[in-house]
Every structure is written in C-alpha cells, then in structure tokens.
Amino acid sequence: MSDTAATLTQDRQRLEMSALSAPAVIFTVAMIAFPVVYTIWLGFQNFSSTGKQSFAGLANYSKLISDYEFWHGLWVTIALYVLSLVLQLVFGVWLALVLFHAKHLPGIVRSLFISPFMMPPVVAGMMWLVILDPSLGAANYILQSFGLPPSDWLASPTWVIPTVALIDSWQWTPYVALIVLGGLQSLPPSVYEAAQIDGASPFKTFQRITLPLLLPTIVTAAILRSVDLLRFFDIIYITTQGGPGNASNTLNIYGFRVGFEFFNIGYASALMLTLTAIVFGAVLAFNRLRGAVAW
C-alpha cells in the first residue's frame, strides 16, 4: 500500500512540475517555430514591386540555380568560413597551450589574451576600419616603416577576404582557446608522466598524446564556430558591406540586400533557408566527426 501511495505521489509531483513548466516550454517552442514556419511560407511567395503577393511555388528555389550572385555569395561564404576556421583552430590551440603552460602569468595578462571575443562586433569592426584605413591607418604606417608598400586592405578585391578572416580570427581565436584550455585541463596527467619516463620530446608528446586526446574538444570548438562563420554578417556589414564591388558579398549579406534593399522577401527567404540548410549540414558533418574521434 505504501509503495502504491509513493508511486501516486511521484506521479502527482511529475504532473505538477510539467504543468508549471508547460507555459515556458510552449512559449519557447512558439518563439522558435513561428519564425521558421513563417520564413518557409515566405519562401514560396512572390512579392511584386507594388507590394502584391502571389504563390510562387518552387520558383524562388529554381532561381537560385541560375543566379550568379548566389553562387558567388556561396563561394565567398565558404572561402571565409574555411580560412577563418583554420586560423582560429590553429592559433586557438597554440594560445591555449601558452596559457596552460604559463601558469604564473598574472591574471590581468590572461584577461587581455581573451578579451577580444568579449568586444561587440560593431566596436571591433569600427576599430579595424580605423587601423586599416589606407591613408591614415596604423597598419600601412607599420608596413611603410619596414620599407614595404602600403595595402588597400578592405578596399582591395584581392585582399578583402583574407583581411576580414584575420579580423574575425583576431576576435574569436581567444574563444576557441578557452574551449581548448578547458580540454587541456581535463586530460589525465598519468599519460604525460608515462611519456616523460619514456623520454618523449615535447613535440612528440604533443603529436602523439595531446593532439589526439584534444581532437573531440577541437571538433566541438569547430562546431560552435561553424554556426557563426557560415552566417558571417556583422563584421562584413560594418567594414565593407559586401564590397569592394561584391568581393565580400556572403550569402547572408546578399540575402539582407535582396530582402531589405530590393524588398524581394520571397527570394530572400529562400536564400536564408538555403543558408540554414548549409549550416545544419556542416554541424551534422562535424558531429559525425566528433563521434569518430571521441575517446
């Protein structure tokens, strides 16, 4: 009898907890589901210049196939993504190793190392606009002091993608370093003691022990950065707005222009849904990779 009463009490507590959390859950699901469903619906609509709306079927998606700006934006997005991700992972691991081994660094120095990612992207973009100004910026002043020719940086179609990737990497490498540093601190010390007894060099220790054990953490950092990098917008909008010409016109920037400058909401929705599918695809691929390298 007592077991039955205890079971009933537990069931009642579960119901009460479910009832209490239900409004928050419903509100959260609605806030996520409504924009997604509405965007999907908009992707099947056509909006004329006079504001008239009509059902377009798959016309917005078929238009993507022949749209040069879409394919160019996709190439720019992937180029920025790959370059930025490689830079952030490589330098993030390096910075994490520096912070891990330099245990006696003052707290203020450690804070300075990781401070860039806490800066709002708008502030970071404006700061780098001043630094990279072709006429008055500090970057060209430093180049010229070493006898090197000045660069147009963000105004150059050749250099704009590497420059934007460097700006984003400057800001977000510390974020990757913090994730990797957490992974380093969780590694078992016994394997390093065994390597030291066997006479392994620091490079061999990193190559054969640290890096393989850190791979799941590095892939996790890659997943988190992939979601942001494939949706590249704020730094580009502040610094170049997709220019010069369309040299840094990512899918996100292109979709913004189509929707809010040319008011083609249906086609812009189709572009954004395609970008969302690309982001999901990258995350799923990295999740599979994380499962493969897990230990």
Side-chain angles (χ1 to χ4, degrees):
M1 187 71 178
S2 59
D3 290 343
T4 305
T7 304
L8 288 171
T9 303
Q10 290 175 355
D11 291 342
R12 184 176 178 180
Q13 288 176 344
R14 288 194 192 98
L15 285 172
E16 288 175 351
M17 290 299 293
S18 299
L20 288 170
S21 60
V25 171
I26 292 169
F27 177 77
T28 304
V29 170
M31 290 295 291
I32 295 171
F34 174 74
V36 173
V37 173
Y38 187 57
T39 304
I40 292 172
W41 179 78
L42 285 174
F44 294 103
Q45 305 298 312
N46 181 49
F47 293 83
S48 67
S49 56
T50 58
K52 289 183 179 179
Q53 178 182 336
S54 59
F55 182 71
L58 295 173
N60 287 324
Y61 294 94
S62 61
K63 184 180 175 182
L64 293 173
I65 299 171
S66 58
D67 186 359
Y68 167 79
E69 288 296 335
F70 166 74
W71 293 107
H72 176 75
L74 181 61
W75 182 87
V76 172
T77 301
I78 293 173
L80 270 172
Y81 166 68
V82 172
L83 185 56
S84 301
L85 188 64
V86 169
L87 286 172
Q88 290 170 32
L89 291 180
V90 170
F91 287 103
V93 171
W94 172 79
L95 181 57
L97 288 168
V98 169
L99 293 174
F100 181 71
H101 291 293
K103 299 184 185 295
H104 300 295
L105 272 179
I108 185 67
V109 177
R110 288 174 173 267
S111 300
L112 285 173
F113 269 120
I114 65 172
S115 61
F117 84 90
M118 295 184 285
M119 187 180 294
V122 174
V123 176
M126 295 300 295
M127 180 186 75
W128 280 101
L129 266 180
V130 175
I131 293 172
L132 298 174
D133 185 274
S135 304
L136 305 172
N140 276 345
Y141 176 79
I142 293 169
L143 285 180
Q144 289 174 316
S145 355
F146 286 99
L148 298 171
S151 172
D152 289 333
W153 303 109
L154 295 168
S156 165
T158 305
W159 287 103
V160 65
I161 290 178
T163 304
V164 171
L166 283 172
I167 294 172
D168 194 74
S169 299
W170 170 84
Q171 183 169 23
W172 290 103
T173 292
Y175 175 73
V176 174
L178 277 183
I179 296 172
V180 177
L181 182 61
L184 280 169
Q185 291 171 342
S186 67
L187 296 183
S190 56
V191 292
Y192 290 99
E193 293 167 3
Q196 193 172 10
I197 292 170
D198 291 340
S201 66
F203 177 75
K204 285 291 183 185
T205 303
F206 173 76
Q207 183 186 25
R208 300 292 178 85
I209 296 174
T210 306
L211 190 57
L213 292 178
L214 271 181
L215 276 178
T217 305
I218 293 172
V219 174
T220 300
I223 292 171
L224 294 172
R225 290 305 302 136
S226 293
V227 174
D228 273 343
L229 286 169
L230 287 168
R231 298 181 297 112
F232 228 125
F233 183 83
D234 37 22
I235 289 291
I236 293 178
Y237 192 74
I238 292 298
T239 55
T240 69
Q241 294 191 1
N246 63 351
S248 60
N249 202 29
T250 61
L251 281 183
N252 224 354
I253 295 289
Y254 180 47
F256 174 82
R257 282 182 165 177
V258 169
F260 294 101
E261 291 182 14
F262 302 109
F263 301 105
N264 192 346
I265 304 298
Y267 189 51
S269 299
L271 281 166
M272 291 299 97
L273 287 170
T274 305
L275 179 59
T276 302
I278 293 170
V279 173
F280 271 115
V283 170
L284 288 174
F286 273 116
N287 269 330
R288 283 182 173 273
L289 179 60
R290 192 180 187 283
V293 299
W295 49 275

